[in-house]
């Protein structure tokens, strides 16, 4: 499961929808096996669009849990980020470097094996062979 | 005609692509321009519930539906065999460049609210006494396959759960493509969604397949 996917997964337990703690899930860094796929190509425009969309606090939280302390607490802003199609062509070298780092984290990094839990109900979910299993046992479904 | 994916797997375990799958592919082909225009250069989050072999998601990735290089694809299936097969089908068709993750889960119960821009669902729509219980054992392939077909009363039990939750699944501009068979009584369901829940609903495609009539509808808020 790719790192960016953690930004879309909440606890499957319906009752946890009423809490603010069902997202993001809590990833157990010591129990997660991380792999990098360097063949994923860097596309700055894709990264800008992703950044536009993500919950940045959740990205920072999960990155810390997985051992990456380097992200700024506020979402990086790009001077020319105004939503038009050629935005990426106006980026400075520094900005490109920031996007390149985010590319490595969000798109090249995956959790191959591991576990995560809900901050509200503490239910534990597993990732095996890169596939998260968020099915609940019958008594919780 | 857009190219269709090469699919091969053990159909004792995973739903074999059939008329319903192909109607969905044709519907998405017809909707290409609509989707391009709707999402333009924005990031689009695509989720398929019940991807089975992955034929539909792979078709979308291959043909850059909804947009070129700007989409995240998620395959969410209850069956462990389906999630594995969906990843394999994508690989076999050289879709490694697209962003795809597959998750074993029950419909959208684990998706953060209001994030899906394009939802695709070819549900278990065959009327049956009840929806089978989820087997405890991966090896119970017979039951996993039954889950691909049997939709309980009127074949609508699983689909109705998605319709009831559509407002929490879709993003503000999100659209859902959902397949029905005639026994699901889609006209009544669509009328209910329009009259009582203010959804906008369009028939995208309808086709006779043997003794069945299949249809794909598009649901959106506007
Ligand atoms: C009719 S098959 C469609 C397969 C594929 N999309 C196609 O068009 O060929 C239905 C799929 O939904 C999955 N499914 C059934 N119930 C589900 C649920 N509650 N949550 C997620 N997937 C489910 C089945 O495992 C199966 O893969
Ligand atoms: Zn929970
Ligand atoms: Zn059976």
């Amino acid at each position: 499961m790719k790192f960016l996917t953690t930004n879309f997964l909440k606890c499957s337990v319906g009752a946890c929808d009423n809490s603010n703690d069902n997202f993001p899930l809590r990833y157990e860094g010591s129990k997660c096996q991380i792999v990098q796929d360097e063949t994923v190509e860097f596309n700055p425009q894709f990264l800008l669009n992703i950044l536009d969309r993500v919950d940045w606090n959740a990205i920072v939280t999960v990155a810390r849990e997985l051992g990456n302390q380097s992200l700024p607490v506020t979402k990086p802003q790009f001077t020319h980020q105004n939503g038009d199609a050629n935005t990426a062509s106006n980026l400075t070298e520094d900005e490109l470097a920031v996007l390149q780092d985010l590319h490595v984290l969000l798109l090249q990094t995956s959790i191959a094996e591991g576990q995560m839990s809900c901050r509200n109900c503490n239910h534990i979910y597993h990732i095996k062979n890169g596939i998260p299993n968020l099915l609940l046992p019958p008594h919780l479904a | 005609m857009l190219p269709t994916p090469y699919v091969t797997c053990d159909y004792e375990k995973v739903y074999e692509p059939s008329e319903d799958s192909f109607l969905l592919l044709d519907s998405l082909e017809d909707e290409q321009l609509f989707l391009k225009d709707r999402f333009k250069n924005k990031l689009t989050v695509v989720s398929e519930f019940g991807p089975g072999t992955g034929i539909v998601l792979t078709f979308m990735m291959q043909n850059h539906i909804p947009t070129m290089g700007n989409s995240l694809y998620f395959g969410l299936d209850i069956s462990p065999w389906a999630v594995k097969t969906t990843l394999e089908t994508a690989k076999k068709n050289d879709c490694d460049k697209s962003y795809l993750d597959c998750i074993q889960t029950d419909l959208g119960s684990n998706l953060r609210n209001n994030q899906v821009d394009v939802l695709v669902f070819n549900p278990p729509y065959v009327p049956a006494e009840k929806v089978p219980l989820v087997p405890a054992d991966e090896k119970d392939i017979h039951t996993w396959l039954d889950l691909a077909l049997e939709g309980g009363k009127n074949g609508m039990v699983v689909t109705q759960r998605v319709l009831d939750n559509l407002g929490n699944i879709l993003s503000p501009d999100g659209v859902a493509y959902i397949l029905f068979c005639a026994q699901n009584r889609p006209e009544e369901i669509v009328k209910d969604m329009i009259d009582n829940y203010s959804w906008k609903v369009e028939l995208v495609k309808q086709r006779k397949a043997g003794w069945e009539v299949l249809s794909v509808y598009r649901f959106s808020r506007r």
Side-chain angles (χ1 to χ4, degrees), chain B residues 78-97:
Chain B
I78 202 161
S79 154
W81 304 105
V83 282
K84 279 178 218 162
T85 308
T86 296
L87 288 171
E88 284 163 15
T89 300
K91 248 214 185 89
K92 281 181 195 147
N93 287 276
D94 300 318
C95 289
D96 315 43
K97 285 218 162 76

Side-chain angles (χ1 to χ4, degrees), chain B residues 180 182 184-193 206 215 217:
Chain B
F180 298 83
N184 301 153
R185 305 203 200 130
E187 289 86 359
E188 284 170 38
I189 285 148
V190 162
K191 190 171 183 315
D192 179 54
M193 289 295 276
Q206 191 163 57
S215 45
Y217 286 87

Side-chain angles (χ1 to χ4, degrees), chain A residues 11 13 16 118 120-121:
Chain A
C11 177
V13 176
C16 292
C118 172
N120 186 53
C121 72

Side-chain angles (χ1 to χ4, degrees), chain A residues 67-93:
Chain A
N68 178 337
Q69 317 282 339
S70 70
L71 296 181
V73 283
T74 54
K75 198 193 274 204
Q77 298 295 321
F78 297 90
T79 40
H80 302 287
Q81 191 171 353
N82 51 17
D84 67 60
N86 40 24
T87 316
S89 56
N90 299 326
L91 293 168
T92 66
E93 232 164 86

Side-chain angles (χ1 to χ4, degrees), chain B residues 6 26 34 74 80 90 107 109 112 121 151 155 165 180 197 209 211:
Chain B
Y6 162 72
D26 292 345
F34 170 86
F74 296 105
L107 303 175
S109 53
R112 180 152 74 93
F121 191 29
N165 199 29
F180 298 83
Y197 301 96
W211 48 272

Side-chain angles (χ1 to χ4, degrees), chain B residues 200-212:
Chain B
K200 192 176 159 205
V201 189
E202 305 267 352
L203 175 66
V204 180
K205 241 178 165 49
Q206 191 163 57
R207 184 178 293 164
K208 257 188 100 174
W211 48 272
E212 279 188 309

Side-chain angles (χ1 to χ4, degrees), chain B residues 113-181:
Chain B
N113 283 354
N114 303 114
Q115 293 299 318
V116 177
D117 299 305
V118 181
L119 173 69
V120 179
F121 191 29
N122 176 7
Y125 56 77
V126 178
E129 205 170 306
K130 51 185 176 44
V131 176
L133 292 176
V134 178
D137 190 348
E138 230 185 54
K139 295 192 193 75
D140 185 0
I141 54 174
H142 179 87
T143 310
W144 290 113
L145 199 55
D146 283 348
L147 275 164
L149 301 168
E150 298 176 5
K153 189 171 181 235
N154 295 333
M156 271 305 293
V157 172
V158 181
T159 310
Q160 193 62 52
R161 285 174 57 212
V162 173
L163 294 176
D164 290 344
N165 199 29
L166 210 52
N168 290 323
I169 298 169
L170 293 185
S171 67
D173 283 331
V175 293
Y177 295 95
I178 301 179
L179 184 136
F180 298 83
C181 77

